[in-house]
Amino acid sequence: MNQWPTWLPLRQDLRELSAYGAPQVPATAVLNTNENPYPLTSEISQAIAAKVLAIAATLNRYPDRDVNVVRAKLAQFINNLSHTDFTEKNIWAANGSNEIIQSLFMAFGSGSALGFTPSYSMHSLIAKVTGVTWINGSRREDFTLDSEMALQQIQREKPAITFITTPNNPTGSAVTISELEKIARATPGLLIIDEAYAEFSEEVSAVSLIKKYPHVVVIRTMSKAFAFAGVRLGYLVADTAVIDAMYLVRLPYHLSSLTQAAAEVALDHQDQLLVNVAQLRANRELVAESLQNLGLTVVPSAANFLLFTGFSQPASQLWKDLLDKGVLIRDVGLLGYLRVTIGNEAENQKFIEALSACLGEK
Ligand SMILES: Cc1ncc(COP(=O)(O)O)c(C=O)c1O
């Protein structure tokens, strides 16, 4: 924990927190933050460059404050995917889904928030930073979500906000739409479904629940399947009342003209950007098989990463040994487990070879 100087008037409730800190260090295989490993094609990167050039002279002006074009394109994307009829009035966009999560806490965080851990660490961290009490709900031993158990916890705690991440990070397990509906039916407050990895899963998106259950909010991102993490574009799909509340808490002009320009081009080339999703899913199965062949146990995953266990050295030691061999994966703080993002073919091979060597060296 940080030793803060006594003169610094830092909020008492922040003093005990640690900042988000996935290591950003050089490595041959970077498999630690669930990015898409495939670079943009030159067609898309040139289209982005052309669009940025076209608007560059107008950067003396503020951007479109309401992000109308991008929101309309995102509504179209979701409608094509889920046979819904959302408009831009059902979409909010921000700098990554992290900013979306922060805005949700700022608007709706009067009371507590509940999430089922282990899950995405930023849910609880952003809750605490925005002054919202965080409650750790529990999962089954195998990390899957038991909807009955979840409902009991929700009804006992009556949180203002409940989070369900599906597929879940860092475990990879997904929740079916019928289980989500069962939970939505009996959840007070807002039910936020974080679908950051939805494109890698076969499950139906929870956006299909929003018409019937207007307290359901679905968070998505272009950082993962869209291979667009560097742009920072996350969004939510919700009833228009939720979007109206977002206008209250957003900072004016929060999405830069450059971000909006890049996102517009990406959404115009969505098929090309998403083309590697099938490959990543197939590679996920190959990596899982290789891990099993090394005698390890892999948690079944519907995302672009795998959580594995069964090694005898401490996770932090194996993580370091792998980094020494040029492979950066993630120690998510779960005793005896490590998480690896699915990379390109060369990275996956490098990971398995390095891991095999580390296991042999112990
Ligand atoms: C479940 C989940 N939600 C949200 C995010 C945040 O993504 P971004 O802010 O890049 O949209 C992540 C990132 O890893 C995640 O795993």
Side-chain angles (χ1 to χ4, degrees):
M1 208 196 301
N2 212 328
Q3 288 303 319
W4 299 102
T6 48
W7 57 263
L8 192 72
L10 182 65
R11 269 169 37 199
Q12 201 57 41
D13 57 333
L14 293 186
R15 288 178 177 260
E16 66 192 33
L17 300 184
S18 307
Y20 175 86
Q24 282 194 307
V25 292
T28 321
V30 177
L31 306 173
N32 72 329
T33 47
N34 299 340
E35 295 150 319
N36 187 320
Y38 298 106
L40 276 58
T41 61
S42 75
E43 185 190 339
I44 300 177
S45 50
Q46 279 174 29
I48 293 172
K51 181 89 178 180
V52 168
L53 186 61
I55 63 152
T58 70
L59 290 175
N60 58 316
R61 300 288 179 192
Y62 284 115
D64 172 6
R65 197 171 51 220
D66 296 340
V67 196
N68 285 307
V69 177
V70 172
R71 285 167 62 204
K73 286 183 191 290
L74 286 166
Q76 201 54 53
F77 169 68
I78 290 292
N79 289 340
N80 291 341
L81 203 77
S82 301
H83 311 293
T84 43
D85 57 355
F86 295 116
T87 71
E88 71 278 5
K89 294 188 172 63
N90 299 101
I91 306 283
W92 189 251
N95 293 282
S97 41
N98 281 330
E99 190 184 20
I100 294 281
I101 295 164
Q102 185 186 51
S103 298
L104 287 166
F105 278 125
M106 287 199 290
F108 304 110
S110 49
S112 58
L114 169 72
F116 302 94
T117 50
S119 191
Y120 181 47
S121 61
M122 287 307 295
H123 293 156
S124 57
L125 186 55
I126 301 174
K128 288 169 190 164
V129 167
T130 52
V132 178
T133 305
W134 178 261
I135 302 166
N136 278 325
S138 51
R139 296 172 169 268
R140 292 191 187 101
E141 289 267 292
D142 67 359
F143 303 126
T144 57
L145 191 74
D146 178 335
S147 50
E148 287 301 329
M149 201 166 95
L151 270 178
Q152 281 168 18
Q153 297 174 75
I154 293 166
Q155 281 158 7
R156 188 174 61 237
E157 303 290 351
K158 299 190 177 41
I161 302 176
T162 301
F163 273 89
I164 292 182
T165 305
T166 178
N168 187 47
N169 177 14
T171 61
S173 49
V175 183
T176 64
I177 192 74
S178 59
E179 282 176 303
L180 286 178
E181 177 158 15
K182 198 159 80 182
I183 295 170
R185 218 178 282 134
T187 296
L190 278 195
L191 176 60
I192 298 178
I193 315 289
D194 187 335
E195 291 191 350
Y197 302 96
E199 291 90 346
F200 299 105
S201 159
E202 313 255 278
E203 296 295 342
V204 173
S205 167
V207 298
S208 57
L209 299 177
I210 293 169
K211 269 257 151 70
K212 194 161 166 202
Y213 305 98
H215 65 300
V216 169
V217 175
V218 178
I219 303 177
R220 299 183 65 122
T221 180
M222 294 180 74
S223 296
K224 311 296 181 181
F226 264 94
F228 223 47
V231 174
R232 310 302 296 127
L233 201 296
Y235 59 103
L236 67 74
V237 190
D239 185 86
T240 54
V242 173
I243 312 302
D244 290 346
M246 293 294 97
Y247 283 98
L248 297 176
V249 296
R250 66 105 179 266
L251 292 174
Y253 316 108
H254 66 296
L255 269 185
S256 83
S257 302
L258 300 173
T259 304
Q260 295 188 43
E264 283 175 33
V265 176
L267 287 160
D268 288 341
H269 292 78
Q270 54 188 257
D271 292 345
Q272 278 184 57
L273 276 166
L274 292 167
V275 77
N276 290 311
V277 168
Q279 186 64 52
L280 286 166
R281 277 199 217 161
N283 288 354
R284 175 182 74 208
E285 300 317 310
L286 293 177
V287 175
E289 211 177 292
S290 304
L291 288 169
Q292 281 155 358
N293 290 342
L294 291 175
L296 300 170
T297 303
V298 183
V299 179
S301 171
N304 66 334
F305 53 82
L306 293 167
L307 189 70
F308 62 94
T309 187
F311 41 86
S312 56
Q313 53 272 72
S316 56
Q317 183 62 50
L318 181 54
W319 178 84
K320 194 180 164 306
D321 293 347
L322 283 165
L323 188 56
D324 288 344
K325 294 187 183 332
V327 178
L328 177 61
I329 66 167
R330 192 74 176 273
D331 179 357
V332 290
L334 265 182
L335 198 67
Y337 286 86
L338 285 170
R339 189 195 71 193
V340 62
T341 303
I342 304 304
N344 63 32
E345 289 72 5
E347 289 169 319
N348 297 337
Q349 192 182 343
K350 169 111 186 135
F351 162 61
I352 293 295
E353 281 168 9
L355 181 61
S356 174
C358 290
L359 295 176
E361 281 164 12
K362 69 176 188 286

